[in-house]
Amino acid sequence: MASKPTLLVTTSTFPRWKGDSEPRFVYDLSRRLTETFNVVVLAPHAAGAKVDEMWDGMHVYRYRYAPAAWETLAYNGGISANLKQNRWNALLLPLFFIGQWWALRKLLKTYPVDTLHAHWLIPQGLVAALALWGKTTKPTLICTSHGGDLFGLQDAISTRLKCWVVQRCQAVTVVSHAMLAPIQALAGANPPPVSVIPMGTDLQQTFIPNPQVSRAANQLLFVGRLVEKKGLPYLLHALQQLLPTHPDLQLVVAGNGTAQADLIQLGESLGIGQHVTFVGRLEHASLVRLYQTSTLAVFPFVQAKDGDMEGLGLVMVEAMGCGCPVIASDLPAVRDVIRHGESGCVVTTADSAALATAIASLLADPTQRQTLSTQALATVRNGFDWESVTQRYQHCLQSTPSQPSMTEIIHAN
């Protein structure tokens, strides 16, 4: 362990305990990087989580920023969603930043950090840049943008802060090609190297087809946070249009979020409540079974009013890995995952009629569904399995700005 370089990972999304249903892609990547690095993780604390623990070879610290009952800014939908749901959460922002900055400074003194990997430009990238500001000897700073921080937060102050962060990184990664132009626009005249490297999914042992399980004939599946950019209202309207000709159709909604009550009410007002089941956010085992048994997985992504939209959409990869045919909206990031007519079906964004037409077409054509799922499986295994994704992050994190390997690298998915 001592011979390995030290990687300090900062993130606002990380499982709070074993079996937590919070998104785990930062955990999965960090755990796999322990083969190469001594990995230290800094994440926000939440009620019920440990402040300091060894977990799967990582030393995980969770910083306090308020009494436990008030630590509600992160998790359960994310910071942006929690701010929109409860404006009083904005009062926690200064404490959140200060708590993270203080804990990060302490860890930088405790560990001989070689590389600091900040997930999201704001807040982690900003806090990391501030913590390193003025230091004569400091680790390499690499920031990964996941989409919400780049496409959202479009006000003048946030944009200037993002520019400041990007220009102080030695390298930046984004999770889809759709994010290249926006990140380069922030970089100014002397941009850091930019790499396109997606987050990964376990397509070897977890998100895999199960030939022993039968697929339902009329079950649609939606997986994701219940927030504006996921576009679930359009799927609910599409379901209403489909029911006269497909009266047995059912929709399973796996996820939670700030819009859940409004979405349930919308379903009732459309007269489709008995055809929609909200099952909440699920652990991997239950989610995998839904992917393996559903007829179609549908992801009607849209661009939110504040500009936020999907940076990648790993739920599509998970479904495809389980052999579930996928329909998704035609957003730029979706094109990194789906080739229309080959590995999935892409429809016009924010168009419930187009969504209903695509669903009806695939419901009526089991041969086409099988063709799409077979081709999709090969596509995602080639570009999104954790084994290949981890190797690409290892290369990026181990390189230094002076090495030729850190010239601009754009990885094709």
Side-chain angles (χ1 to χ4, degrees), residues 33-72:
L33 289 171
T34 58
E35 295 183 6
T36 308
F37 297 94
N38 174 23
V39 177
V40 181
V41 178
L42 179 64
H45 184 262
K50 295 180 180 179
V51 173
D52 178 352
E53 66 176 329
M54 288 298 301
W55 189 0
D56 289 339
M58 302 173 287
H59 203 152
V60 180
Y61 294 91
R62 297 182 179 88
Y63 59 89
R64 304 299 306 270
Y65 59 96
W70 295 356
E71 290 176 326
T72 57

Side-chain angles (χ1 to χ4, degrees), residues 145-154 162 176-180 182 229 303 306-312 332-333:
S145 175
H146 293 274
D149 53 340
L150 185 62
F151 296 127
L153 302 174
Q154 292 295 324
K162 288 188 285 187
S176 69
H177 288 83
M179 300 170 65
L180 268 177
K229 70 177 181 179
Q303 186 171 17
D306 63 1
D308 190 12
M309 60 180 172
E310 285 299 306
L312 177 60

Side-chain angles (χ1 to χ4, degrees), residues 239 243 247-251 267-268 270-277:
L239 178 60
L243 284 174
D248 296 329
L249 199 57
Q250 295 289 322
L251 170 63
E268 294 296 334
L270 293 174
I272 61 173
Q274 67 273 29
H275 293 271
V276 184
T277 303

Side-chain angles (χ1 to χ4, degrees), residues 6 12 20 26 41 44 52 69-70 74-75 80 120 129 139 167 174 182 202 275 314 325 352 366-367 382:
T6 298
S12 54
D20 191 9
V26 176
V41 178
D52 178 352
W70 295 356
Y75 309 112
S80 295
W120 288 276
Q167 292 165 15
V174 292
D202 181 3
H275 293 271
L314 275 178
S352 59
T367 301
N382 182 54

Side-chain angles (χ1 to χ4, degrees), residues 191-202:
V194 178
S195 301
V196 179
I197 315 178
M199 289 290 105
T201 301
D202 181 3

Side-chain angles (χ1 to χ4, degrees), residues 14-24 27 44-50 53 55-56 60 62 75-76 283:
F14 200 81
R16 295 162 293 182
W17 44 76
K18 293 185 185 297
D20 191 9
S21 59
E22 283 292 317
R24 51 180 285 163
Y27 160 84
H45 184 262
K50 295 180 180 179
E53 66 176 329
W55 189 0
D56 289 339
V60 180
R62 297 182 179 88
Y75 309 112
N76 295 317
E283 296 182 11

Side-chain angles (χ1 to χ4, degrees), residues 93-387:
L93 280 171
L95 299 174
F96 188 87
F97 275 85
I98 293 170
Q100 183 180 156
W101 177 84
W102 184 264
L104 181 54
R105 293 276 294 191
K106 184 177 179 180
L107 290 178
L108 288 169
K109 293 177 180 179
T110 303
Y111 292 92
V113 178
D114 298 278
T115 304
L116 177 51
H117 188 192
H119 288 268
W120 288 276
L121 299 173
I122 298 176
Q124 282 72 234
L126 176 59
V127 173
L130 288 170
L132 297 177
W133 195 16
K135 285 183 171 289
T136 54
T137 302
K138 50 191 174 183
T140 299
L141 175 58
I142 297 177
C143 192
T144 294
S145 175
H146 293 274
D149 53 340
L150 185 62
F151 296 127
L153 302 174
Q154 292 295 324
D155 60 279
I157 293 176
S158 295
T159 299
R160 293 194 67 173
L161 289 174
K162 288 188 285 187
C163 288
W164 188 82
V165 171
V166 170
Q167 292 165 15
R168 278 151 184 81
C169 291
Q170 282 68 63
V172 175
T173 72
V174 292
V175 296
S176 69
H177 288 83
M179 300 170 65
L180 268 177
I183 203 77
Q184 289 168 342
L186 297 174
N190 298 300
V194 178
S195 301
V196 179
I197 315 178
M199 289 290 105
T201 301
D202 181 3
L203 299 170
Q204 300 297 322
Q205 297 181 334
T206 304
F207 294 98
I208 58 176
N210 185 350
Q212 308 302 318
V213 175
S214 299
R215 288 198 178 275
N218 291 286
Q219 179 172 294
L220 306 180
L221 174 64
F222 169 93
V223 179
R225 288 187 292 124
L226 304 184
V227 294
E228 182 187 359
K229 70 177 181 179
K230 303 298 184 178
L232 185 55
Y234 294 96
L235 179 53
L236 295 177
H237 281 279
L239 178 60
Q240 182 194 41
Q241 297 169 37
L242 287 163
L243 284 174
T245 53
H246 298 78
D248 296 329
L249 199 57
Q250 295 289 322
L251 170 63
V252 177
V253 177
N256 58 16
T258 54
Q260 180 165 333
D262 291 338
L263 290 165
I264 293 174
Q265 184 177 5
L266 175 60
E268 294 296 334
S269 68
L270 293 174
I272 61 173
Q274 67 273 29
H275 293 271
V276 184
T277 303
F278 289 81
V279 297
R281 182 179 287 169
L282 301 176
E283 296 182 11
H284 270 170
S286 299
L287 185 55
V288 167
R289 187 166 182 83
L290 274 177
Y291 284 135
Q292 292 172 339
T293 57
S294 295
T295 318
L296 297 170
V298 187
F299 304 106
F301 304 132
V302 298
Q303 186 171 17
K305 294 182 180 66
D306 63 1
D308 190 12
M309 60 180 172
E310 285 299 306
L312 177 60
L314 275 178
V315 287
M316 295 184 294
V317 178
E318 293 172 351
M320 293 159 75
C322 292
C324 186
V326 169
I327 298 174
S329 298
D330 189 19
L331 287 182
V334 170
R335 299 165 202 160
D336 274 15
V337 182
I338 298 178
R339 294 184 179 89
H340 178 63
E342 296 180 15
S343 53
C345 181
V346 178
V347 301
T348 307
T349 304
D351 188 339
S352 59
L355 203 57
T357 298
I359 292 170
S361 177
L362 285 182
L363 286 175
D365 193 345
T367 301
Q368 178 65 2
R369 296 202 304 269
Q370 182 60 50
T371 299
L372 290 178
S373 64
T374 300
Q375 295 176 338
L377 187 58
T379 298
V380 295
R381 282 181 174 172
N382 182 54
F384 296 94
D385 183 64
W386 267 126
E387 183 175 350

